Amino acid sequence: MLKMDISSSSQMITMPRRSPLQKNIWKIDIDCSPEEARTFFGLPDVAEFQKSMMAQIQERMSEHITAMDPEALMKTWLPMGTRAWETFQESFMQGFAKASPDKPKE
């Protein structure tokens, strides 16, 4: 159901060195559903398009949710497992040992 309420009020505005001007202010309240508003303004109904796009997005998210598995993430981030971290730690320890003034350099 399309229902409109139009009301008007007048307000006086004075400008310097000019005669007063009258400004009309209109307030329009329209009570209608989104479908009625789309039809009134001639906009297309995109509900079916939105449903199909949301179904595709949901399908893609479901396919790629397995990539968010903690085990899969660890395999991606640490392809060699913890061995890479151990090698990294050993190289730091060797570097610190060489830089230490207490021990002779090798």
Side-chain angles (χ1 to χ4, degrees):
M1 175 171 80
L2 187 61
K3 185 169 67 173
M4 290 184 146
D5 177 28
I6 301 176
S7 58
S8 172
S9 64
S10 297
Q11 180 180 4
M12 297 296 288
I13 300 174
T14 56
M15 304 288 283
R17 298 186 191 150
R18 293 188 183 177
S19 62
L21 299 175
Q22 184 176 8
K23 181 178 178 184
N24 288 329
I25 298 174
W26 294 85
K27 179 182 174 188
I28 301 174
D29 292 329
I30 301 174
D31 184 22
C32 66
S33 68
E35 292 83 17
E36 291 172 331
R38 268 196 301 274
T39 304
F40 179 76
F41 287 110
L43 298 173
D45 185 13
V46 294
E48 292 300 319
F49 175 71
Q50 182 182 11
K51 285 179 186 176
S52 67
M53 288 303 294
M54 290 305 293
Q56 288 178 9
I57 291 170
Q58 186 175 6
E59 181 181 330
R60 287 182 186 176
M61 288 179 70
S62 298
E63 289 173 359
H64 297 291
I65 198 71
T66 56
M68 297 303 292
D69 179 38
E71 186 176 342
L73 284 175
M74 290 304 288
K75 285 181 182 177
T76 304
W77 292 343
L78 302 171
M80 293 177 46
T82 59
R83 182 65 189 140
W85 288 107
E86 291 170 1
T87 306
F88 185 67
Q89 185 180 16
E90 287 174 9
S91 66
F92 263 102
M93 294 304 285
Q94 289 173 0
F96 286 134
K98 288 179 182 178
S100 176
D102 296 339
K103 294 184 180 179
K105 293 183 182 179
E106 296 176 4

